[in-house]
Amino acid sequence: MSTATAPKFDERIARGNLFTRFFTKPEAGATAAALVLAIMFAVVAPQFTKPDSIATILYGASTVGIMAVGVSLLMIGGEVDLSAGVGVISAALSSSLFMYWFGGNVWVGALIGLVFSLLVGLLNGWLLTKTKLSSFIITLATFFMLTGLNLGVTRALTGGVAAPSIAAWPGFDSAAAVFASDIPVFGVKVKITVFYWILLVIIATWILQRTRIGNWIFSSGGAPDAARAVGVPVVKTKIGLYMGVSFCAWLLGMHQLFAFKTVQSGEGIGNEFLYIIAAVVGGCLMTGGYGSAIGGAIGALIYGMALKGVVYAEWNPDWLKFFLGAMLLGATVLNFTLQRRAARGGKK
Amino acid sequence: MLKSRFGRWSKLGLAGVAATGALMLAACGSPAGAGGGAAGGGGSAVEEDELKVALVTHAAPGDTFWDTIRAGAEAAAERNNVELLYSSDPDGARQAQLVQQAVDQDVDGIVVTLAKADAMAGEVQKAVDAGIPVFSINAGEEAYKDMGVLAHFGQNEFIAGQAAAEEFNEAGAQKAICVIQEQGHVGLESRCEGFADTFAGSSEVLYVTGTDMTNVASTITSKLQTNADIDAVLTLGAPFAMTALDAIADAGSSAKLATTDLNADVYSAIGDGSILFGIDQQPFLQGYESVEAVRLYATGGYVLGGGQAVLTGPAVVNADNLDSVAAQFEGAEDAADSES
């Protein structure tokens, strides 16, 4: 992966290799697609490039991107998590229902939410390694169980279908400042989730590129048996990856809880596909062993731009989902075509 | 080398141009609807500056009920020289972002549904702070005042449930089920609570998955098979009423069916007696009045309602008054995309 600086003026690895060097990276195709998309929307919708709009687009992208970080790492490790969408709502609900039932400081509630989330991740990972079933089946089961839990527990405790507002509890203001505030950047208010997203991408990239754990993730996904044979703790790695997704779900869940003060128990269903799509568009393989955290971030950005761009361009929203699908397909195809071509050109 | 490299890049460029072109084509070739409605608005006789109004709902795509709201909004837009921007997302957080986008676009008015009032509060406040008049429709009767919303157009869900119960009481029903198509939807729950409150016999709630009609049909059928003494079924949406009709027949039950929210199919079913009555919240009015409200506010700060929610329902439609509402439903299927 190291792109060493080129030796002085050697023609054999001069400009011809710029293309191959760039496009052999997982996130390269997504970057190209994101640029095409940004230019297209900038042309058809002048509104798209205004600072306020960019802040809105980034916020929309960050609510997918935060999860896409965890999901990208998990997919590089060769697994999927279908319970990630409802997991976000579960995290928020477990926090707010705990506070509703026991009272106390919201930070305690947030901590309970984190513990609950990590336990879900632990359960997913543990079941996966114990049962030897595919992660698709395991997390599908978790997805249904969490969906039912969200609704069942909420109704059992509150009698309603939404968690009561938590705005009145002590510590709310400080927690809201941490999880759901606006940060002014050059006079434009940017939601704090955008910064968390960037931070998570940096941390995940560092883990993948610079640590032993990163090597474990790549090898567990690419060749689990070989990895096990050379002493990689595959079981621990996969459990850790699921807990990573859970942590991201908790962070996003806390944002929703403190931004909106209440949680609807029926939400979050279907969002897991957005996270998977972001990771795949960003160059993560469904089979594992290949991808990057930055790719997942760019995938989320593509989704955010497409979703908001259709509104700014004032197109008929009936077609929104079609555009999304078409754009995602285009980005992914472009990505793999370029990579294959770059790989061929890369053979010297 | 140079040639092949050039070929590579030109192909890439071509692909980009082709993709852009295809998208542009698709955008231009989309049916006259949200974006294209304003262009054909030659019906406005009054010389007024054009207003831009964003209508942001929590509609799931493909629900006939929301087509009616949109048709009402478009009719008002055409008569009031308004450019209407329609957008919707069932997810509360994403719907809030759509409101934010409307603020970014600097519209002259925002009409919003407040099904998830808490999720919307922050963004609606931003719109109000930006000096944009905000009106709410359909859902949010108890929340709109605190959010700086000028007026609310909708029906009280609890009262709508009570109205349905009164009609069923008159028909002498003893045991009812209230079918909720979206578990976790506060408005629908409250409709069933109103029904249970006023219904003379015993009633219970039945949850179905509204996004999957086969599930709706099989759930209602199995419920009626296990409880043969159920003699009243209340659905909470027109498409579900039509499915429930088949389900009641499949179960061999003699239960009477009624529904809240109407469409043309339900209208004709009330006509032929297979559906007992409908409780309508007149969604057309919600769309129409709210867009007109923006125009009225721009004209001279006029606001309807005197600080109270403007109720658009419940309006009971049964065999007695079927003729008076006929115009709403005759040719209603294509009202949404008529060019008038």
Side-chain angles (χ1 to χ4, degrees):
Chain A
M1 291 306 285
S2 70
T3 48
T5 47
K8 293 165 220 142
F9 308 110
D10 188 333
E11 281 180 2
R12 286 167 303 172
I13 48 169
R15 278 150 53 205
N17 258 355
L18 199 65
F19 171 82
T20 52
R21 269 223 310 271
F22 176 66
F23 280 110
T24 41
K25 289 203 169 77
E27 62 273 12
T31 311
L35 280 174
V36 168
L37 205 59
I39 291 164
M40 184 192 78
F41 277 123
V43 170
V44 299
Q47 182 67 52
F48 188 80
T49 48
K50 295 206 173 122
D52 285 341
S53 305
I54 292 172
T56 310
I57 292 163
L58 282 177
Y59 172 56
S62 72
T63 54
V64 174
I66 286 176
M67 291 301 296
V69 172
V71 172
S72 296
L73 258 56
L74 181 69
M75 285 178 73
I76 295 168
E79 306 297 343
V80 291
D81 187 352
L82 297 180
S83 67
V86 284
V88 172
I89 303 299
S90 296
L93 276 174
S94 57
S95 283
S96 63
L97 290 177
F98 177 85
M99 277 178 261
Y100 167 77
W101 200 248
F102 295 103
N105 193 294
V106 295
W107 284 102
V108 179
L111 197 67
I112 295 288
L114 178 62
V115 171
F116 177 82
S117 268
L118 291 177
L119 281 176
V120 171
L122 182 69
L123 179 79
N124 269 334
W126 181 78
L127 281 173
L128 178 86
T129 50
K130 274 286 170 257
T131 59
K132 303 277 192 290
L133 288 168
S134 77
S135 55
F136 185 92
I137 305 290
I138 297 287
T139 55
L140 190 64
T142 327
F143 156 76
F144 279 117
M145 287 194 286
L146 284 180
T147 309
L149 266 183
N150 285 354
L151 204 52
V153 174
T154 307
R155 188 184 300 277
L157 293 184
T158 67
V161 287
S165 174
I166 58 156
W169 293 104
F172 176 82
D173 289 339
S174 63
V178 169
F179 290 113
S181 55
D182 291 331
I183 312 276
V185 179
F186 305 122
V188 180
K189 282 183 173 173
V190 181
K191 287 263 195 306
I192 199 164
T193 49
V194 176
F195 300 99
Y196 282 136
W197 177 33
I198 294 166
L199 185 70
L200 280 175
V201 172
I202 292 170
I203 293 171
T205 306
W206 177 76
I207 288 176
L208 282 176
Q209 305 292 1
R210 292 275 178 271
T211 68
R212 213 168 44 158
I213 297 170
N215 292 340
W216 290 351
I217 293 170
F218 277 110
S219 58
S220 306
D225 295 335
R228 210 173 277 113
V230 296
V232 172
V234 174
V235 170
K236 273 187 194 159
T237 305
K238 291 201 169 176
I239 291 177
L241 286 172
Y242 272 108
M243 290 173 82
V245 173
S246 293
F247 175 81
C248 296
W250 170 77
L251 187 62
L252 188 58
M254 288 304 102
H255 167 70
Q256 294 212 350
L257 179 61
F258 289 105
F260 307 137
K261 299 166 193 72
T262 128
V263 192
Q264 301 264 342
S265 55
E267 296 203 331
I269 296 166
N271 290 355
E272 59 276 356
F273 292 114
L274 299 180
Y275 314 143
I276 293 172
I277 280 168
V280 171
V281 168
C284 298
L285 288 182
M286 292 293 285
T287 48
Y290 186 79
S292 72
I294 294 175
I298 294 169
L301 189 64
I302 287 179
Y303 169 79
M305 285 197 296
L307 190 69
K308 303 285 180 256
V310 167
V311 177
Y312 285 135
E314 297 179 16
W315 293 347
N316 187 333
D318 290 351
W319 293 85
L320 183 109
K321 285 272 170 29
F322 177 82
F323 284 133
L324 271 182
M327 284 171 193
L328 295 169
L329 184 67
T332 323
V333 169
L334 183 73
N335 195 355
F336 284 98
T337 317
L338 289 170
Q339 274 179 28
R340 271 199 295 273
R341 191 169 297 176
R344 275 205 305 275
K347 283 181 195 134
K348 285 192 289 288
Chain B
M1 271 292 99
L2 186 85
K3 198 172 164 190
S4 73
R5 222 170 56 226
F6 172 74
R8 230 179 250 155
W9 281 111
S10 65
K11 264 190 202 162
L12 174 61
L14 264 179
V17 169
T20 314
L23 280 167
M24 299 283 273
L25 259 181
C28 299
S30 64
S44 171
V46 195
E47 285 300 316
E48 294 165 315
D49 291 343
E50 190 179 66
L51 293 178
K52 197 186 264 191
V53 177
L55 170 58
V56 181
T57 73
H58 64 274
D63 189 334
T64 52
F65 175 86
W66 295 95
D67 283 350
T68 317
I69 285 194
R70 203 168 150 178
E74 270 161 20
E78 196 147 316
R79 285 177 207 173
N80 288 294
N81 193 19
V82 165
E83 186 194 347
L84 186 72
L85 307 174
Y86 179 83
S87 58
S88 75
D89 202 312
D91 179 290
R94 285 201 293 265
Q95 196 199 346
Q97 287 175 36
L98 288 171
V99 175
Q100 173 66 52
Q101 288 190 267
V103 177
D104 294 343
Q105 283 166 301
D106 203 17
V107 294
D108 304 299
I110 297 177
V111 178
V112 68
T113 61
L114 301 174
K116 282 117 187 178
D118 292 290
M120 306 295 290
E123 308 300 344
V124 168
Q125 194 57 54
K126 270 186 203 159
V128 172
D129 292 346
I132 299 172
V134 181
F135 295 89
S136 61
I137 55 168
N138 182 262
E141 195 192 348
E142 52 298 308
Y144 81 96
K145 280 183 209 168
D146 306 333
M147 294 164 72
V149 174
L150 291 167
H152 176 81
F153 303 88
Q155 84 172 349
N156 180 301
E157 303 286 15
F158 195 84
I159 296 176
Q162 289 180 310
E166 278 164 20
E167 290 289 314
F168 265 134
N169 287 347
E170 267 180 53
Q174 288 305 313
K175 190 168 183 194
I177 50 170
C178 186
V179 184
I180 292 186
Q181 69 264 22
E182 191 185 335
Q183 213 166 353
H185 186 311
V186 184
L188 299 180
E189 300 272 347
S190 142
R191 241 179 253 182
C192 281
E193 281 163 21
F195 181 78
D197 173 77
T198 306
F199 187 60
S202 67
S203 76
E204 62 175 306
V205 173
L206 179 72
Y207 290 103
V208 295
T209 310
T211 47
D212 176 6
M213 274 303 179
T214 54
N215 168 290
V216 176
S218 59
T219 311
I220 296 175
T221 303
S222 56
K223 182 73 190 174
L224 293 175
Q225 282 166 337
T226 45
N227 296 290
D229 54 346
I230 290 173
D231 56 5
V233 177
L234 178 69
T235 56
L236 302 184
F240 310 105
M242 302 320 290
T243 307
L245 262 187
D246 300 339
I248 292 170
D250 286 348
S253 161
S254 59
K256 291 263 192 302
L257 175 68
T259 186
T260 63
D261 302 341
L262 277 72
N263 65 7
D265 293 337
V266 171
Y267 168 80
S268 45
I270 295 174
D272 66 31
S274 51
I275 292 182
L276 191 61
F277 63 90
I279 302 285
D280 198 18
Q281 58 174 304
Q282 305 189 81
F284 186 90
L285 273 185
Q286 294 174 7
Y288 189 95
E289 290 294 342
S290 57
V291 171
E292 191 155 72
V294 178
R295 169 56 75 192
L296 286 168
Y297 189 77
T299 307
Y302 300 112
V303 177
L304 264 179
Q308 301 294 318
V310 181
L311 295 185
T312 60
V316 178
V317 176
N318 55 24
D320 304 335
N321 66 354
L322 209 55
D323 294 341
S324 65
V325 296
Q328 284 185 40
F329 300 108
E330 277 162 7
E333 295 93 335
D334 49 23
D337 49 24
S338 73
E339 282 282 300
S340 58

